[in-house]
Amino acid sequence: MAKELLSGNEAIARGAYEAGVTFASAYPGTPSTEILENVVRYKEVIHAQWGVNEKTAMEEALGASFTGARALVAMKHVGLNVAADPLFSASYIGATGALIIISADDPGMHSSQNEQDNRHYAIAAKIPVLEPSDSQEAKDMVIEAVKISESFDTPVLIRMTTRTSHSRSAVELGERLEPPVPEYKSDFFKRNLLPGNARRRHVLVEERQKKLAVFSDDFKYNTVIKGKNRIGVVASGVSYQYGREVFPDASFLKLAMPYPFPVNLFKRFAAKLDTIYILEENDPIIETFARLVEPGKKIIGKDVFPLLGEMSQDVVQASLKLKDLTPRFDVNTIPRRPPSLCTGCPHTALFYNLGLQKVNSRGDIGCYTLGALPPLSAMDTCVDMGASITVLLGIEKALAKAEKTIKQVAVIGDSTFFHSGITGLIDVIYNKGQSTVVILDNSITAMTGHQENPGSGTTLMGETAPRIDIVKLVRDGLGLEHTYEVDGYDVKAIKELLKREILRPEPSVIVVRRPCILLYRKAKWSPMRVDGEACTSCKVCLRLGCPAISSDADGKAFINEALCSGCGVCAQVCAFKAISFVDDKGLHSSSITLESYLSGDRS
């Protein structure tokens, strides 16, 4: 068989192809995004689509499973919080066609607001969980998950983590299994969870658990590797790879299926060992089961290894005091370089104005969260997807009860608005809120790498789709009269709109429109330059936080032309007209509007 070097996410997609999956859905989120982007490579045999959020994606996959089709749904770990409602129902309903749920956890929070361990969800929902340790297993686990799902009438959760998702290793490719022909057959007692039906299904779930526990003991990917001493290591996921390097002579129990926990297999493994180390990322789930099964055995887990962050060879060795990870230099001596919005980002002018007007901003999940950092410092709360609007309303109502008010707005991106912001805005309208919501519309899910959304006009499959106009949706659909749109590069227009709408004693929405500048990576924009004679060193332009702008040895503003995208926002904030285009007739990003982008002008 041929081999390819695949990332874990690419291997999951390949596994879906080989397993005979015919439907796949997801909402993009790091570190899971590339799964659907690679599933679409097989669009001749798999229908792949972005849901507007993880809940809709889960329910769509469940619906596909109702027909006997094999379905896969993928999301990052916090996405499973959004999809938890259908997850628990799906456990009771089971799987007519296989239902595979990919949860990509993010130990270390590289791009997340927490590092929850989603194996807890599998335990709570009473469904089996698989944990691949490399790309080959990621592909193989999808195929095994399909078999388990259809054999035991259960959804199966595959837990990936950041390293297994993004690291690459060789994968042996196989042939595609012939999928069943989908056909919908009504099954009232199985799929209609009226309380009477649900009670009967719960009995079946408990019986299924017992069968899965027996299966886990003999699952072929739960493997024992004999060592040379009486030290044992139990490991799952990528932690297994780290353990093999740190404990070369130990015996290993590699748990590809940590739940249901293989009680008898663990007992047999532990019987001949004096000491057992447990290596797993995040929470002590395997460790908890192991201690319950063998309370008298010397087990070393999270009492030594860290609960927080990613595991690695170095971390394992340092935890055992085999390696010193103390930095060899004082990190405080390194100049700080906080992350910032991109040069030419169409969100910059809004955050600049919010800071200028000292408006408290309720933020949301997306790259615009960078507006919270200096020098913009224009966002002081960020909770979860869609929370900007609802938190805004809660603050407003609580203060109103005490006859107080503050200047505040909610800031949310277009994809997040579709995801879970719409319901919050309906709450604002229904409950007679008086605050202003700002929607940053670049018609793409930018932070995760430009995935399509309902405002893009195209689908994941590359097909043209109806484009949902946010302004029309809010004004005509929700009936919010005070709905306005403004150009993301127009500093003065944004300033005046904010000033007016924040004082309005009614709810209002401002839609700030411009395409993401990174959609034009190949463009060679005419940059801006500073007239040193006219510059007064007032440093107002530096408050934009644009990575292209700094100051020279004389304190004058300096623009790095290699970084500048020529959006012209800095020229607008300069009261002394010291900034201008290097080439007035050149290609300026300010000439690219959202309309021109959506019409196909992407040169």
Side-chain angles (χ1 to χ4, degrees):
M1 286 290 183
K3 287 188 176 182
E4 281 190 20
L5 196 61
L6 300 179
S7 71
N9 284 346
E10 291 169 333
I12 290 283
R14 178 68 193 188
Y17 167 78
E18 293 184 15
V21 168
T22 56
F23 179 91
S25 57
Y27 182 80
T30 306
S32 70
T33 305
E34 301 85 1
I35 294 174
L36 260 284
E37 290 181 327
N38 282 280
V39 166
V40 81
R41 292 171 56 192
Y42 309 104
K43 64 181 180 182
E44 297 301 320
V45 291
I46 304 176
H47 173 83
Q49 64 181 45
W50 297 122
V52 295
N53 61 40
E54 294 84 354
K55 179 177 183 289
T56 64
M58 175 82 80
E59 292 161 347
E60 288 149 6
L62 182 60
S65 168
F66 285 179
T67 70
R70 292 170 179 162
L72 178 146
V73 57
M75 62 200 71
K76 68 179 296 174
H77 61 309
V78 291
L80 199 51
N81 302 335
V82 181
D85 199 358
L87 170 70
F88 281 77
S89 292
S91 174
Y92 277 33
I93 290 169
T96 304
L99 179 58
I100 312 305
I101 302 158
I102 311 294
S103 168
D105 293 4
D106 188 16
M109 294 179 281
H110 295 281
S111 185
S112 306
Q113 66 267 44
N114 70 35
E115 51 183 335
Q116 69 190 50
D117 186 330
N118 275 357
R119 293 176 297 179
H120 290 295
Y121 268 116
I123 296 169
K126 301 185 176 182
I127 62 174
V129 56
L130 304 181
E131 278 196 88
S133 65
D134 58 24
S135 296
Q136 179 69 58
E137 284 194 357
K139 191 207 78 166
D140 294 344
M141 289 297 118
V142 176
I143 298 169
E144 292 300 317
V146 165
K147 295 175 184 175
I148 295 169
S149 181
E150 294 181 350
S151 299
F152 291 90
D153 192 16
T154 180
V156 177
L157 187 142
I158 297 179
R159 185 207 190 205
M160 301 288 284
T161 58
T162 303
R163 294 301 149 190
T164 49
S165 287
H166 289 164
S167 59
R168 290 175 177 269
S169 57
V171 175
E172 185 172 298
L173 308 183
E175 300 294 329
R176 177 172 165 85
L177 299 172
E178 189 63 32
V181 177
E183 180 182 5
Y184 182 77
K185 294 179 181 177
S186 179
D187 194 336
F188 178 78
F189 295 106
K190 181 177 170 69
R191 301 186 191 126
N192 191 322
L193 292 182
L194 292 169
N197 291 345
R199 291 187 196 104
R200 294 163 65 177
R201 293 298 305 175
H202 191 184
V203 173
L204 297 176
V205 169
E206 298 304 328
E207 291 175 355
R208 184 181 73 198
Q209 281 296 92
K210 295 174 184 174
K211 294 175 183 174
L212 282 166
V214 173
F215 174 82
S216 184
D217 268 330
D218 296 323
F219 183 48
K220 65 180 180 180
Y221 286 91
N222 284 342
T223 53
V224 174
I225 299 103
K226 291 184 179 178
K228 300 176 182 176
N229 53 36
R230 292 181 66 82
I231 292 175
V233 179
V234 182
S236 67
V238 71
S239 298
Y240 166 75
Q241 309 290 358
Y242 305 143
R244 292 293 289 172
E245 293 193 28
V246 178
F247 299 96
D249 296 327
S251 296
F252 271 78
L253 172 56
K254 182 165 77 68
L255 288 185
M257 186 176 184
Y259 184 78
F261 187 72
V263 173
N264 294 317
L265 177 62
F266 177 70
K267 281 183 175 178
R268 293 195 296 272
F269 174 75
K272 301 177 182 177
L273 302 170
D274 297 329
T275 304
I276 297 174
Y277 294 89
I278 310 285
L279 298 180
E280 56 188 325
E281 290 192 304
N282 289 142
D283 293 346
I285 288 177
I286 294 173
E287 179 185 339
T288 300
F289 284 118
R291 291 186 186 279
L292 286 171
V293 172
E294 290 287 359
K297 188 68 71 176
K298 184 180 180 182
I299 293 175
I300 298 171
K302 295 301 180 182
D303 48 340
V304 170
F305 303 115
L307 190 69
L308 313 181
E310 283 190 290
M311 198 74 85
S312 71
Q313 298 94 323
D314 287 345
V315 168
V316 174
Q317 289 179 312
S319 300
L320 297 169
K321 303 190 185 309
L322 301 174
K323 190 167 190 173
D324 183 7
L325 293 184
T326 304
R328 288 173 290 180
F329 50 86
D330 182 0
V331 295
N332 293 319
T333 62
I334 302 173
R336 297 188 66 186
R337 184 180 293 176
S340 62
L341 295 171
C342 302
T343 58
C345 175
H347 308 331
T348 301
L350 170 78
F351 288 117
Y352 171 78
N353 273 304
L354 288 173
L356 210 60
Q357 297 184 38
K358 301 187 185 314
V359 177
N360 287 295
S361 151
R362 313 294 156 219
D364 226 298
I365 306 297
C367 46
Y368 45 90
T369 310
L370 294 170
L373 301 176
L376 294 167
S377 303
M379 186 183 295
D380 65 348
T381 65
C382 179
V383 180
D384 58 38
M385 293 285 282
S388 57
I389 301 175
T390 39
V391 167
L392 174 94
L393 181 61
I395 291 173
E396 178 195 315
K397 292 295 183 183
L399 291 177
K401 205 66 179 171
E403 298 183 347
K404 295 180 180 178
T405 185
I406 58 173
K407 289 168 64 176
Q408 62 167 357
V409 299
V411 179
I412 187 169
D414 54 314
S415 183
T416 313
F417 180 69
F418 288 126
H419 179 283
S420 48
I422 293 176
T423 47
L425 182 57
I426 291 172
D427 267 3
V428 169
I429 297 168
Y430 173 61
N431 290 293
K432 300 180 180 179
Q434 298 183 359
S435 297
T436 299
V437 174
V438 179
I439 303 172
L440 301 170
D441 183 8
N442 55 19
S443 292
I444 206 79
T445 309
M447 185 178 190
T448 47
H450 299 140
Q451 289 73 37
E452 302 81 3
N453 68 42
S456 303
T458 53
T459 70
L460 174 61
M461 302 277 278
E463 299 165 342
T464 301
R467 192 179 77 79
I468 295 178
D469 186 315
I470 292 177
V471 173
K472 289 181 179 176
L473 173 67
V474 175
R475 182 185 292 155
D476 302 337
L478 302 183
L480 190 60
E481 177 187 355
H482 299 293
T483 302
Y484 307 95
E485 56 185 303
V486 65
D487 179 0
Y489 285 164
D490 194 332
V491 179
K492 184 179 179 183
I494 294 172
K495 176 184 177 182
E496 291 174 351
L497 255 182
L498 280 174
K499 194 173 179 180
R500 187 187 75 197
E501 293 308 309
I502 288 171
L503 296 176
R504 186 183 295 283
E506 299 175 71
S508 62
V509 165
I510 298 172
V511 182
V512 181
R513 309 183 76 224
R514 270 280 171 178
C516 174
I517 191 69
L518 294 184
L519 291 166
Y520 295 88
R521 282 192 177 94
K522 295 181 180 178
K524 294 184 178 178
W525 308 111
S526 174
M528 313 298 293
R529 66 181 171 191
V530 177
D531 179 347
E533 295 294 323
C535 178
T536 64
S537 304
C538 68
K539 299 188 177 2
V540 168
C541 56
L542 291 175
R543 296 179 192 166
L544 292 169
C546 176
I549 307 175
S550 60
S551 55
D552 62 19
D554 297 327
K556 303 279 188 180
F558 171 76
I559 294 178
N560 185 331
E561 295 182 8
L563 298 177
C564 179
S565 62
C567 68
V569 168
C570 53
Q572 295 179 58
V573 304
C574 179
F576 305 97
K577 301 188 183 306
I579 302 176
S580 60
F581 287 107
V582 169
D583 179 5
D584 283 338
K585 297 180 181 179
L587 183 60
H588 303 145
S589 58
S590 59
S591 66
I592 305 297
T593 65
L594 198 60
E595 283 68 29
S596 61
Y597 168 73
L598 292 170
S599 68
D601 180 4
R602 302 173 191 185
S603 57

